[in-house]
Amino acid sequence: MNRTIIAAASMLSCVTAATAQSSVTLFGVVDVGVSYYSAKSEFYNNTAALVPPLPSVTRSQTVLSNSGQSNSRLGFRGTEDLGGGLAAGFWLEAGTTPDSGATGVASFNRRSTVSLSGPFGEIRLGRDFTPTFWNDSVFSPFSTIGVGANVVSTVGTNLQTVRGPGSPVAASDNYLRTSNSIGYFLPPNLGGVYGQLQYALHENVSQSNMPGSPSHRGRFFGGRLGYAAGPLDVALAYGESTAADTTGMNAAGFPTGVNLDEKIKTINLGASYDFGFMKVFGEVSQVTDRALSTAPAPVLGSVTLRDSDKYKGGLLGVTVPVGPGLIKASYSRVKFDNDLGPLATSFAPRRDASVNKLAVGYDYNLSKRTALYATVARIRIKDGQNNPVIMGAVTGGGAYLSTGAGTSGLAPRRSTGYDFGIRHAF
């Protein structure tokens, strides 16, 4: 019996010693609420013909939603002290849907990284957030969540989903997150300066007898540099995603001369300042969807067409602490400037579009980990039929009616929504 006690004590001391050198944490958020989404579609006519107007149509939906104030998730993170100022770490985080329980820890789609950190900073490998996404999230009172989400982020998500490249993990990849990434983060002791660089491999196959191989579709690179000290936080970020990179080939395996290169380039600047009695937020953003298409042409040999559409966005927001709660408000807007390319003339009709959102909310903290929240948002869309990315920026994402394929029909013009829920973090 004494031997058993001695052995148990020895094992306990080993576990204690190991614990002193490393740690593993289970964490998560459960956020569930009642949400209402409504979108009103009205008549439009992009033709020169007289078309009888159609009556407006409103679609609405009431749901038990999740992630109205904070993303529901479950994760594991840990560190190991390697000595000499070095540390190894991991982070595995999965999105969950507590409203239905349909999604659990099936995949660590929110983040899955392993890292090595030290006085030099941190090197991080795996699936992680992109540098440009952070400014859309951090410098918005409602972050990118719920009906009050920054509309700059909503449009960015829609654009990546529509144009690609997407991935088997998420259609919004290369905007929100990216897989197969190599990241570097500056050390935290630089007097308030922080930053990161990120490169994501496309992982496409190279073939020696195929011109233009490998395709760079899916590649991402970007960076972020900021300064945070006292009440001030400001950051500039840039990212570039390859949405398409194709070389046309015929059945015999020879190039046809029909090629496409499309890149989505994002640059944004965000800032916040905490006055104590209130905190103000601001962001400006520009996303350029640039496509170069090449095709054979008689006499000239080939012709390259350039198309460069722009999404110019911005946000102003404020939070005001009131007792145990927080009042939040923001106004965000995105304007789509359509590039008509070589077809542009003074007589060519514009095909621009815009969306703006006003959101107001209140969080009431029952404790450090539990809060009740309420958010109301109103969206106005102008000429949404000209761009599915802008048209889809309604509350709830999909509860709207669109007909006519941009020619003549119905398109969403107004959208409203609310979230009332509870969030618990552990």
Side-chain angles (χ1 to χ4, degrees):
M1 181 174 179
N2 289 338
R3 292 178 185 174
T4 303
I5 294 175
I6 293 172
S10 177
M11 291 176 64
L12 181 61
S13 65
C14 291
V15 171
T16 304
T19 303
Q21 300 296 318
S22 62
S23 65
V24 176
T25 301
L26 170 69
F27 67 94
V29 172
V30 180
D31 182 323
V32 179
V34 175
S35 296
Y36 171 81
Y37 313 125
S38 173
K40 184 177 182 179
S41 296
E42 297 180 352
F43 176 73
Y44 71 90
N45 181 16
N46 276 353
T47 71
L50 293 177
V51 179
L54 300 174
S56 62
V57 176
T58 298
R59 283 186 172 180
S60 61
Q61 183 182 25
T62 302
V63 301
L64 188 67
S65 61
N66 77 87
S67 304
Q69 192 256 13
S70 184
N71 285 309
S72 295
R73 56 192 182 270
L74 180 65
F76 309 87
R77 59 176 179 256
T79 60
E80 180 187 11
D81 186 353
L82 301 175
L86 293 177
F90 76 91
W91 191 303
L92 302 173
E93 185 175 325
T96 62
T97 53
D99 56 323
S100 65
T103 304
V105 191
S107 68
F108 294 108
N109 54 357
R110 285 183 54 83
R111 178 174 165 182
S112 55
T113 60
V114 63
S115 63
L116 180 66
S117 60
F120 56 86
E122 179 186 359
I123 298 174
R124 189 183 296 177
L125 308 177
R127 178 172 175 80
D128 203 357
F129 293 95
T130 65
T132 42
F133 167 76
W134 280 119
N135 282 357
D136 290 346
S137 176
V138 171
F139 299 115
S140 165
F142 298 94
S143 185
T144 60
I145 304 164
V147 296
N150 185 351
V151 80
V152 175
S153 172
T154 305
V155 170
T157 300
N158 291 349
L159 177 62
Q160 205 69 57
T161 301
V162 171
R163 306 305 300 172
S167 80
V169 181
S172 62
D173 269 6
N174 282 21
Y175 163 70
L176 183 59
R177 301 176 181 86
T178 187
S179 298
N180 314 310
S181 72
I182 303 169
Y184 169 73
F185 294 78
L186 291 174
N189 58 351
L190 298 180
V193 176
Y194 61 89
Q196 68 175 108
L197 294 172
Q198 186 183 63
Y199 181 85
L201 285 73
H202 54 72
E203 296 192 342
N204 297 316
V205 176
S206 175
Q207 185 169 320
S208 60
N209 65 341
M210 183 177 292
S213 174
S215 168
H216 289 165
R217 184 178 187 273
R219 183 182 66 176
F220 176 90
F221 65 86
R224 184 169 182 250
L225 184 64
Y227 175 80
L232 175 66
D233 188 2
V234 59
L236 175 69
Y238 175 81
E240 182 174 309
S241 169
T242 302
D245 181 23
T246 61
T247 301
M249 305 288 289
N250 60 23
F254 295 102
T256 62
V258 178
N259 306 321
L260 175 62
D261 176 28
E262 182 177 3
K263 291 182 172 62
I264 298 175
K265 303 178 181 182
T266 302
I267 184 169
N268 53 35
L269 173 67
S272 64
Y273 194 92
D274 193 344
F275 291 95
F277 67 94
M278 73 172 181
K279 186 175 182 179
V280 295
F281 301 80
E283 183 194 13
V284 290
S285 169
Q286 178 172 290
V287 180
T288 303
D289 181 6
R290 190 223 66 184
L292 297 176
S293 55
T294 304
V299 182
L300 298 177
S302 66
V303 172
T304 299
L305 299 181
R306 175 189 175 94
D307 185 44
S308 186
D309 295 335
K310 290 182 171 59
Y311 299 81
K312 299 176 181 178
L315 174 142
L316 290 174
V318 62
T319 59
V320 180
V322 179
L326 188 69
I327 297 173
K328 304 187 291 187
S330 71
Y331 175 82
S332 52
R333 172 180 169 83
V334 174
K335 184 179 184 302
F336 166 66
D337 290 336
N338 183 30
D339 180 13
L340 297 177
L343 302 178
T345 69
S346 57
F347 302 101
R350 299 297 303 175
R351 290 292 181 259
D352 300 340
S354 64
V355 56
N356 61 70
K357 174 190 286 189
L358 179 64
V360 179
Y362 179 68
D363 296 346
Y364 183 81
N365 296 306
L366 300 174
S367 69
K368 289 184 177 180
R369 297 186 298 159
T370 305
L372 302 176
Y373 62 85
T375 307
V376 179
R378 182 175 179 84
I379 296 171
R380 291 186 180 274
I381 300 173
K382 181 180 179 182
D383 296 326
Q385 70 276 2
N386 294 334
N387 188 303
V389 171
I390 298 294
M391 181 168 54
V394 297
T395 58
Y400 66 90
L401 177 66
S402 172
T403 66
T407 302
S408 177
L410 296 172
R413 290 289 182 265
R414 298 177 183 87
S415 179
T416 58
Y418 64 71
D419 296 321
F420 295 100
I422 180 171
R423 180 266 300 156
H424 177 73
F426 60 90

